[in-house]
Amino acid sequence: MKVVLQNLTKKFPGPKKTDAEVVAVHDFTFEIPDGELIGLLGPSGCGKSTALNLISGLLKPTSGRIFFGEDDVTDLPPENRGVGLVFQNYALYPHLTVKQNIIFPLQNRKGKDKLSKEEMSEKANAIAKLVQIDGLMDRKPSELSGGQQQRVAIARALVKMPRVLLLDEPLSNLDARLRLRTREEIKRIQQETGITTIFVTHDQEEAMSISDKIVVMKAGVIQQVGKPQDVYDDPVNLFVAKFLGTPPINVFLGRVQGGKLYIGEDAILDAAGVSDREVYVGIRPEGFVLREDGPLCCTLDRLEVMGRDISVVSSNPHCQAPTVRSIISAENRVDLASGTVRFAVKPNKVFIFDQENEKRIRFSAGDTCHG
Ligand code: ADP
Ligand code: MG
């Protein structure tokens, strides 16, 4: 089921009468193609849950429309929208067994939609198999691990075969290992069922790893929509560049002068076509190349060996952070004794941004400069 948001806006009154209202979701317009998994991504408080609750019908928009396929669902109550919802806290009924929990949403159907006990049981069994909890059907929620409880919650959301599945930080209560496994499971279940899914998270790695497309949000405003790799490789502004990637992008104060990009006195790239100005320079950790004659000079702090790669931790007075993080192949040899390290940079891993509005300034980077 295709989901279309048209100029969707939600305002809340401010905490006190005299406070300005909060625009939790500002003028969202985008389309989720049928069968895709979309990651809504942004820091806490940016409006992710509000956006999801508008789609579910738990909240009414201040303005704008929501369509499921050709149906305008904006004025429909949640129970008539055909959505499945999963939240961070699993919200299972503690006194019911796993099976009873899964069957629960099927029970109060009326008229032609009414199901017999056998039909409900069959549906519950099929979904339990899909999410791999079929061996736990007679247990109570208190007898399950967090990961198992979350699977029950997912089964319960899926048993009605919703048109759209909405997941709000569904993995946040799980430990790191389980989080990894469960997110792979969610991806598998989504692919097997083909249900259009919106997955809310503040964790960029989580969103990047399972989403067909991500929607990056900041303060109620969509910043960028695209395939995870495309957004990573081609961020539209400094916020998006900083939000995606671990270790995060390194940001320097720099300038373009005479068609060259400078960090301090080091000219690191040709930047033909950009007029002289102050800029932010973002360099991805994988964008550094160790080279004795490299133009960018940093003070070497330490090395962190990570097996396949080495993380070179250094510092530079023009970097916004205390350390510059670069990732290089473990085959490189780094001489710690020298105290300094010199880098060339990979042009496609260097982005520059306007210092006023933080928007990306596009330039066709020439060759890396020599020191
Ligand atoms: P997220 O899920 O991204 O953390 P939310 O959608 O929960 O963000 O909140 C977005 C903004 O809207 C926040 O500033 C929050 O304080 C505000 N907000 C959310 N729900 C309400 C509400 N019911 N009443 C007033 N303000 C709210
Ligand atoms: Mg939230």
Side-chain angles (χ1 to χ4, degrees):
M1 179 68 52
K2 177 175 82 172
V3 175
V4 180
L5 309 184
Q6 257 177 23
N7 306 105
L8 200 62
T9 293
K10 179 67 182 177
K11 296 177 183 169
F12 291 112
K16 283 190 246 108
K17 264 204 173 132
T18 47
D19 291 345
E21 54 191 1
V22 177
V23 187
V25 168
H26 178 75
D27 200 24
F28 271 31
T29 297
F30 67 93
E31 187 174 317
I32 302 167
D34 181 34
E36 285 202 356
L37 192 161
I38 298 296
L40 268 190
L41 174 65
S44 177
C46 75
K48 303 180 296 294
S49 295
T50 304
L52 206 73
N53 290 336
L54 291 172
I55 298 169
S56 73
L58 293 174
L59 283 175
K60 273 204 147 326
T62 309
S63 57
R65 310 300 304 173
I66 303 164
F67 297 86
F68 287 0
E70 301 307 313
D71 291 352
D72 185 336
V73 300
T74 318
D75 299 317
L76 286 183
E79 59 274 19
N80 296 347
R81 291 193 184 190
V83 292
L85 274 168
V86 179
F87 298 103
Q88 172 177 349
N89 44 353
Y90 328 112
L92 301 175
Y93 300 105
H95 57 289
L96 300 182
T97 64
V98 166
K99 185 157 184 177
Q100 288 165 336
N101 264 286
I102 299 173
I103 285 176
F104 193 85
L106 300 175
Q107 276 174 337
N108 42 15
R109 293 194 171 183
K110 303 261 159 30
K112 66 172 176 37
D113 294 331
K114 197 168 163 56
L115 298 173
S116 70
K117 270 213 160 74
E118 290 70 36
E119 286 170 319
M120 288 193 276
S121 176
E122 243 172 61
K123 278 185 191 288
N125 289 339
I127 288 293
K129 221 180 171 121
L130 177 73
V131 306
Q132 298 176 344
I133 47 167
D134 40 330
L136 308 170
M137 295 293 256
D138 297 324
R139 295 208 196 167
K140 295 277 175 63
S142 60
E143 297 163 336
L144 302 177
S145 70
Q148 290 166 335
Q149 290 186 43
Q150 194 55 299
R151 281 169 198 245
V152 178
I154 293 168
R156 193 176 56 181
L158 285 173
V159 75
K160 289 176 294 183
M161 280 299 152
R163 300 200 281 178
V164 181
L165 180 63
L166 305 172
L167 305 156
D168 193 347
E169 313 243 8
L171 309 179
S172 298
N173 284 354
L174 307 181
D175 66 50
R177 208 175 241 278
L178 205 53
R179 214 154 56 215
L180 275 181
R181 259 198 31 213
T182 312
R183 84 181 187 208
E184 283 164 15
E185 282 291 288
I186 289 177
K187 183 72 188 172
R188 177 185 62 79
I189 293 163
Q190 194 269 331
Q191 284 177 334
E192 280 181 28
T193 58
I195 296 176
T196 308
T197 300
I198 305 173
F199 184 103
V200 160
T201 178
H202 63 274
D203 180 334
Q204 57 89 22
E205 197 201 330
E206 197 167 283
M208 299 265 284
S209 65
I210 71 166
S211 307
D212 295 308
K213 288 206 194 85
I214 54 172
V215 176
V216 185
M217 298 171 56
K218 175 191 171 190
V221 180
I222 295 178
Q223 306 291 301
Q224 193 166 1
V225 182
K227 290 184 186 162
Q229 191 69 47
D230 292 348
V231 179
Y232 181 83
D233 288 337
D234 199 9
V236 297
N237 61 30
L238 183 61
F239 175 82
V240 174
K242 282 164 90 166
F243 202 72
L244 300 185
T246 39
I249 195 165
N250 300 282
V251 181
F252 301 83
L253 287 173
R255 68 185 191 284
V256 175
Q257 198 181 333
K260 287 198 184 304
L261 176 60
Y262 286 85
I263 291 175
E265 295 311 307
D266 302 332
I268 64 160
L269 277 182
D270 286 335
V274 182
S275 57
D276 290 2
R277 65 174 108 182
E278 306 279 308
V279 293
Y280 291 118
V281 185
I283 309 178
R284 293 276 183 215
E286 68 275 22
F288 295 88
V289 183
L290 270 182
R291 228 171 59 190
E292 273 170 25
D293 67 344
L296 182 63
C297 186
C298 295
T299 305
L300 186 56
D301 183 1
R302 63 182 190 279
L303 301 179
E304 292 172 2
V305 180
M306 304 184 294
R308 188 172 41 125
D309 301 320
I310 299 176
S311 170
V312 179
V313 184
S314 60
S315 61
N316 180 290
H318 307 283
C319 186
Q320 283 195 323
T323 57
V324 176
R325 292 209 158 253
S326 51
I327 309 279
I328 58 167
S329 160
E331 286 149 24
N332 282 282
R333 289 282 158 258
V334 184
D335 176 15
L336 269 177
S338 73
T340 61
V341 63
R342 300 193 77 95
F343 297 109
V345 294
K346 300 176 189 167
N348 63 337
K349 294 288 179 182
V350 179
F351 310 124
I352 61 176
F353 304 93
D354 188 293
Q355 279 193 6
E356 295 289 313
N357 60 23
E358 303 193 350
K359 284 194 181 142
R360 176 94 172 271
I361 300 167
R362 293 177 185 278
F363 68 107
S364 54
D367 279 343
T368 182
C369 298
H370 293 261

